[in-house]
Amino acid sequence: MHADIPGIARVTRRVTLPPQPVFDVSTASEFDHLLRMLPGRVQVLVESRIREVEEIRMQAFGPVEVLYQHAHVIYPIELTLDDMKVLDSVGQWRADGRLGLEGTLHRFGRLDTMGHTSLVTVRVAKAFVGLAEPLREWLSVAQDGLVIMGLPGSGKTALLRDCIRILGERLAGRLFVNDSSNEILGDGFQPHPITDWVSRVPIGDPTLQFEKLNQTVKNFQPRWMVVDEVSSPGDARAIAYARSRGARAVMTWHAGSLRSAYQEKDERTLWPLIQRNEDGITGPPVASLGILVRGRGEYVIFENLEECFDEVAHDRLPPGVQVSVAQGSRWGHREQALTG
């Protein structure tokens, strides 16, 4: 018997794997571009270890916080308004306070206070190849949609990119990526080359996602659609509509468990995808396979979401396969892998 994961799953099988090769195929120019956008005093803090940086937080009259792969460092320097003004020239900020750098996967988030940039967070994104390889067993047979779920910052989008790579091997141009915040394939007109077998629908502004999803379904008849961050009931209805027209969905949900997705009653964002109402389940969900990201290399696979949500509806733990991938000391770069 396998031990349950409290509040998450009744473990039916446990898969433990040794460290798997994961390569960062991001180019040096992507990081150089990012460094040029930062205030000079922040550049010197991170440039020597930029490939290890996951997030940079800069606040006016506050310290600089940097989240590295294995450390959270607070640098005791105070940024001035002049430092923060450098960030105003990064690009055209969208209404949701976000922007990306064309040709990269990096993302900036901004808070404006009384007409001044007061807080900026930079997600330093890498193009990882190999993250999803331990899940190929399930991805290779996924025929009726896929949900990747997890809490914010758990690595859903990074995993999604590599899942797209694997799915693209058999779906190619029939797989359409609807990039709500342009985080999957990057901002700007030219997508990041990490997934070059798919069709991209840049959206940029999440408020336009419902309209763009409907346009994609009506005009291009996709076989599969990718949607990052299902964030409104409108998004969910558009995906459910696409499913009724024969398009399978690959999507990410902000949820730490199937139970939390099922029980969420404020916005009811995911209800059209779960197919439930006030009385309970009304039909099968719009995807058959679920992957819960619990942390780096820690996953729970829900092989039959219809069965799983039925268990949740009856207040029972859903059956799941626990996958644990041992982590090496650090990610490899493609150049290192090729040259030894």
Side-chain angles (χ1 to χ4, degrees):
M1 293 291 292
H2 300 293
D4 293 342
I5 304 175
I8 292 178
R10 170 171 51 85
V11 178
T12 58
R13 179 160 64 104
R14 181 172 284 110
V15 178
T16 303
L17 299 172
Q20 304 291 299
V22 176
F23 301 110
D24 178 0
V25 299
S26 310
T27 64
S29 63
E30 295 175 45
F31 295 101
D32 291 341
H33 189 183
L34 171 62
L35 288 168
R36 289 195 300 271
M37 298 296 106
L38 300 177
R41 293 199 294 159
V42 179
Q43 287 182 30
V44 298
L45 295 176
V46 300
E47 59 185 346
S48 64
R49 299 175 60 190
I50 189 62
R51 279 190 180 267
E52 299 175 35
V53 175
E54 296 185 347
E55 185 173 290
I56 305 169
R57 180 174 297 173
M58 296 163 282
Q59 184 169 350
F61 308 110
V64 176
E65 297 183 49
V66 181
L67 180 63
Y68 294 95
Q69 287 175 6
H70 302 293
H72 181 190
V73 180
I74 300 177
Y75 293 97
I77 67 169
E78 185 176 287
L79 295 179
T80 66
L81 286 179
D82 286 338
D83 290 321
M84 301 303 288
K85 283 180 181 177
V86 173
L87 298 164
D88 290 334
S89 61
V90 171
Q92 184 65 45
W93 295 94
R94 297 193 296 267
D96 62 353
R98 293 181 176 183
L99 66 79
L101 300 180
E102 186 161 6
T104 80
L105 300 173
H106 310 310
R107 189 197 77 194
F108 286 69
R110 171 180 180 257
L111 180 65
D112 180 285
T113 303
M114 295 185 292
H116 297 285
T117 298
S118 57
L119 178 65
V120 171
T121 297
V122 183
R123 286 279 185 91
V124 184
K126 289 91 174 177
F128 289 128
V129 171
L131 273 180
E133 285 298 333
L135 309 177
R136 183 180 281 271
E137 169 188 342
W138 293 275
L139 295 174
S140 62
V141 296
Q143 297 294 333
D144 208 20
L146 165 67
V147 175
I148 299 174
M149 67 195 86
L151 297 174
S154 60
K156 297 185 299 298
T157 302
L159 180 66
L160 174 64
R161 290 191 197 103
D162 208 37
C163 287
I164 293 171
R165 176 184 63 84
I166 292 175
L167 292 170
E169 293 173 3
R170 61 186 172 95
L171 300 173
R174 296 174 295 171
L175 178 63
F176 279 70
V177 177
N178 293 269
D179 214 343
S180 60
S181 293
N182 290 347
E183 291 186 46
I184 305 175
L185 300 182
D187 222 339
F189 191 77
Q190 182 176 358
H192 192 279
I194 186 173
T195 48
D196 56 358
W197 295 350
V198 300
S199 300
R200 176 184 180 237
V201 182
I203 297 175
D205 184 347
T207 62
L208 301 176
Q209 181 153 267
F210 177 80
E211 176 186 346
K212 291 283 189 177
L213 286 172
N214 278 331
Q215 287 180 5
T216 302
V217 172
K218 293 176 180 177
N219 295 338
F220 302 105
Q221 299 179 333
R223 177 78 177 274
W224 285 68
M225 293 173 58
V226 177
V227 182
D228 193 20
E229 293 188 24
V230 179
S231 56
S232 73
D235 294 346
R237 288 194 298 271
I239 294 168
Y241 169 72
R243 184 67 187 90
S244 72
R245 297 285 294 267
R248 278 73 171 174
V250 180
M251 52 195 151
T252 60
W253 295 356
H254 285 309
S257 67
L258 293 183
R259 184 187 302 274
S260 65
Y262 181 84
Q263 293 181 341
E264 193 270 311
K265 293 186 177 181
D266 293 331
E267 296 292 333
R268 303 181 181 182
T269 300
L270 302 175
W271 282 23
L273 304 177
I274 297 170
Q275 291 220 58
R276 70 152 297 186
N277 59 21
E278 289 284 0
D279 298 322
I281 298 291
T282 61
V286 298
S288 60
L289 178 67
I291 299 174
L292 173 64
V293 184
R294 302 184 65 217
R296 186 167 288 162
E298 292 292 333
Y299 311 104
V300 178
I301 312 299
F302 300 105
E303 297 177 306
N304 185 329
L305 278 179
E306 182 176 4
E307 175 188 346
C308 288
F309 275 119
D310 185 65
E311 292 292 290
V312 170
H314 289 89
D315 203 28
R316 296 189 292 262
L317 284 177
V321 179
Q322 184 176 8
V323 178
S324 298
V325 184
Q327 300 300 296
S329 59
R330 63 172 56 193
W331 308 113
H333 304 323
R334 178 173 56 182
E335 293 80 2
Q336 293 174 346
L338 294 177
T339 62

